[in-house]
Amino acid sequence: MTDQKEKYGIMDWIGSVIGIIVAGFIIFILIWPLIDPTPDKSSSLKENIQKATGK
């Protein structure tokens, strides 16, 4: 019984770490245009969609 509880605890911890990493990555992607260090800023999402669709 203790083995199952311990395994669940480890899996829960791993899931939490993965969730934090994914959430941090998504937040980083969303704020990247604001902190972009390049002189000529990266294309905005709107510009990228227009280029991809050809409109």
Side-chain angles (χ1 to χ4, degrees):
M1 194 72 178
T2 55
D3 288 339
Q4 289 178 342
K5 190 172 185 180
E6 185 176 335
K7 285 181 184 177
Y8 175 75
I10 291 171
M11 292 302 290
D12 191 37
W13 183 83
I14 291 172
S16 297
V17 170
I18 291 171
I20 290 169
I21 291 171
V22 169
F25 188 68
I26 291 170
I27 291 169
F28 178 74
I29 288 172
L30 292 174
I31 65 169
W32 177 250
L34 301 175
I35 60 172
D36 191 358
T38 55
D40 53 343
K41 303 278 185 189
S42 298
S43 300
S44 70
L45 184 60
K46 188 177 181 181
E47 290 171 353
N48 288 338
I49 291 171
Q50 289 173 347
K51 287 178 187 175
T53 58
K55 292 183 180 179

